[in-house]
Amino acid sequence: MASTEPTHPAQGDAPAPAESEPLLGRPGDATQRPDAPMIKNIFLGTAWISQLGGVLLLAVTWSSVFTHPKLPLVSPHPLLQTLGVFTGLQAILVLQPTNTPRTKSLGQRYHFILHILSFALFVAGTTIIEVNKHANHMPHFHSPHAYLGVSTFALLVLQYLFGFTIWAVPRVWGGEERAKSMWKYHRWVGYSALVLLLATVAAAVETDYSKAVLRIRLWAVLLAEGLIVVGVLPRVHLRKLGIQSR
C-alpha cells in the first residue's frame, strides 16, 4: 500500500516509504531497495551487529562443548538450541527491511522456511535432553532454564501457527484484510519470543551441567545477546507494530 507521506531519499537511494521508517535512523537505513537481493537484508543497517552477536554466541557455546567431555544425550542440546536461535535470528533479519508487495512476499517465504528449520532444531535439541532426563530418571523441571525453555517453546508453537494461518489461510481470521490487521500482533509476539529465547540461553549458563562441565562465562553470553538486541532493535518498524512514529 503506497504511502503519501514524505520520504527521505539520500545519496541516490530510492525513496523509502514513511511507513517503513525504523525505530532509529532514516528509512533507508533499514529498508530494502526494490532491486536489492534478499541476502543483503541480513546485513542491512545494524543487522551486522546482530550477526556478530549470533556468531559470538555460537562460538562461545560450541567451543565449550567440543573442548570439554561430551555426553551423547546432553552435548547436542546446547549445539542444536543455539543453532536454532541463530537460524531464527536470520528469519527476523531477512523480513524486517521488506516494504514493497514483492519483497514482502519473498521475505515471508524465506521467513517461513528459516523458522521451520529453526523449529526443527529446537525440537531435536529438546527431544535429546528429554530422552536423557527420562533415561537417567532426572527431574524435568528443576531450574529456571527448564521453565523458561518450556514456556518459550510453547509460545513459539503458538506463534508459528498464528503466523502460518495469517499468511497461508487468512480465511481463518475472516478474510485477507482482517488477517493483515493481525500482522502487528504477530510481530509483537515474535520480538517477545526472541527476548525469551535469549533469556533461556542465558539461564542455561547457570545450570549444573554448564557450571560443572562446560563452564561457559555468563558475561560472554550476555555480551553476545546484547549485540543481537542492539542490532535488531533499531530496525524495528514502528508502524508495522501499529505504532505511529509521527
Side-chain angles (χ1 to χ4, degrees), residues 18-25 96 184 187-188 191 233-246:
E19 67 176 11
S20 294
E21 185 169 353
L23 178 63
L24 299 175
Q96 269 186 320
K184 58 179 178 288
R187 295 184 181 101
W188 274 108
Y191 289 125
L233 187 60
R235 294 172 20 125
V236 172
H237 294 162
L238 296 180
R239 297 197 178 208
K240 289 184 179 182
L241 293 177
I243 299 174
Q244 297 295 319
S245 60
R246 290 190 181 88

Side-chain angles (χ1 to χ4, degrees), residues 47-59 86 89 220-221 223-229:
W48 67 271
I49 302 176
S50 285
Q51 297 289 13
L52 181 61
V55 170
L56 178 60
L57 183 62
L58 287 178
F86 183 79
L89 175 62
V221 171
L223 173 61
E225 294 183 344
L227 290 172
I228 290 174
V229 172

Side-chain angles (χ1 to χ4, degrees), residues 88-89 91-92 96 111 115 152 155-156 158-160 162-163 182-198 232 236 241:
L89 175 62
I92 293 172
Q96 269 186 320
H111 183 76
H115 268 311
T152 304
L155 179 63
L156 286 174
L158 294 175
Q159 171 72 341
Y160 294 150
F162 184 31
M182 305 297 288
W183 276 121
K184 58 179 178 288
Y185 302 115
H186 180 70
R187 295 184 181 101
W188 274 108
V189 176
Y191 289 125
S192 299
L194 175 63
V195 172
L196 277 176
L197 278 172
L198 297 179
V232 169
V236 172
L241 293 177

Side-chain angles (χ1 to χ4, degrees), residues 93-164:
L93 296 178
V94 77
L95 184 59
Q96 269 186 320
T98 59
N99 66 94
T100 65
R102 187 190 71 82
T103 58
K104 284 181 180 179
S105 178
L106 188 57
Q108 286 168 354
R109 291 190 180 92
Y110 282 108
H111 183 76
F112 175 73
I113 292 170
L114 286 166
H115 268 311
I116 287 295
L117 177 57
S118 176
F119 184 63
L121 291 166
F122 288 141
V123 169
T126 301
T127 300
I128 286 172
I129 203 65
E130 288 302 314
V131 169
N132 174 70
K133 290 181 177 183
H134 179 75
N136 292 285
H137 307 288
M138 299 170 63
H140 292 271
F141 300 100
H142 71 289
S143 68
H145 171 67
Y147 285 103
L148 277 170
V150 170
S151 301
T152 304
F153 188 84
L155 179 63
L156 286 174
V157 171
L158 294 175
Q159 171 72 341
Y160 294 150
L161 290 174
F162 184 31
F164 178 75

